[in-house]
Amino acid sequence: MGYDNDNIFAKILRGEIPSHKICEDDETFAFMDIMPRGPGHSLVIPKKPARNILDVDPASLAAVMRTVQKVGRATMNAFDAPGLTIQQFNETEGGQVVFHLHVHVIPRFAGVALKPPAGPMEDPKVLAENAARISAALEVA
Ligand code: 5GP
């Protein structure tokens, strides 16, 4: 399976559809998941096209994981979360729905289960507030 230039995250990277950005650098982009499995759920993606972990350029993957670490730490600080779940799915059978490599970053709290995937869309105002909160925590990290 190849890379589809018209997948939703490629469109977000090109600015063709909106997203709630946390941060970006030359190689990566971090933004809020529109159907969060918990408050503060974000996604980190490479700017260089990659379908998933099976075809990604290793340097691009390393850059993604550097950003995951930064955003993960900032998210835990921003939400005062004692735990952090990192998820990454590959191909339909592996749970992948959007075919541009992405890593989920989800703050976790005692006794709070993840909501099911593909739940309701979050209020854009909440997503904007949460993106700003994580972004601000990156500044002080
Ligand atoms: P996966 O492919 O790893 O199963 O998950 C794809 C993720 O992308 C889901 O968590 C879903 O909520 C999120 N998602 C799907 N469409 C959009 C979108 O248009 N914008 C944003 N920000 N997230 C999306």
Side-chain angles (χ1 to χ4, degrees):
M1 287 285 223
Y3 181 80
D4 173 10
N5 268 312
D6 284 328
N7 75 76
I8 201 92
F9 294 168
K11 289 181 180 178
I12 285 175
L13 281 172
R14 291 196 295 267
E16 292 168 9
I17 63 165
S19 67
H20 295 91
K21 180 172 102 170
I22 297 167
C23 63
E24 70 179 311
D25 60 21
D26 288 348
E27 295 164 291
T28 66
F29 187 82
F31 59 108
M32 302 314 294
D33 194 299
I34 207 169
M35 292 171 272
R37 300 191 62 187
H41 177 177
S42 68
L43 301 167
V44 179
I45 64 176
K47 289 188 173 175
K48 193 170 172 183
R51 181 175 167 88
N52 54 39
I53 205 159
L54 302 169
D55 66 332
V56 66
D57 168 62
S60 186
L61 177 62
V64 166
M65 294 315 290
R66 277 195 294 274
T67 301
V68 166
Q69 186 182 47
K70 283 183 201 160
V71 170
R73 286 174 174 158
T75 300
M76 289 178 80
N77 287 336
F79 287 84
D80 201 18
L84 185 72
T85 294
I86 303 297
Q87 291 181 318
Q88 193 276 318
F89 304 113
N90 299 283
E91 299 301 332
T92 303
E93 295 78 1
Q96 186 174 12
V97 175
V98 178
F99 295 95
H100 179 112
L101 173 69
H102 53 280
V103 178
H104 298 260
V105 179
I106 313 173
R108 301 300 301 277
F109 305 89
V112 182
L114 289 181
K115 291 181 193 162
M121 284 206 194
E122 183 56 278
D123 179 349
K125 193 167 165 275
V126 172
L127 293 177
E129 281 168 8
N130 289 347
R133 204 161 149 185
I134 300 168
S135 202
L138 276 170
E139 303 295 322
V140 296

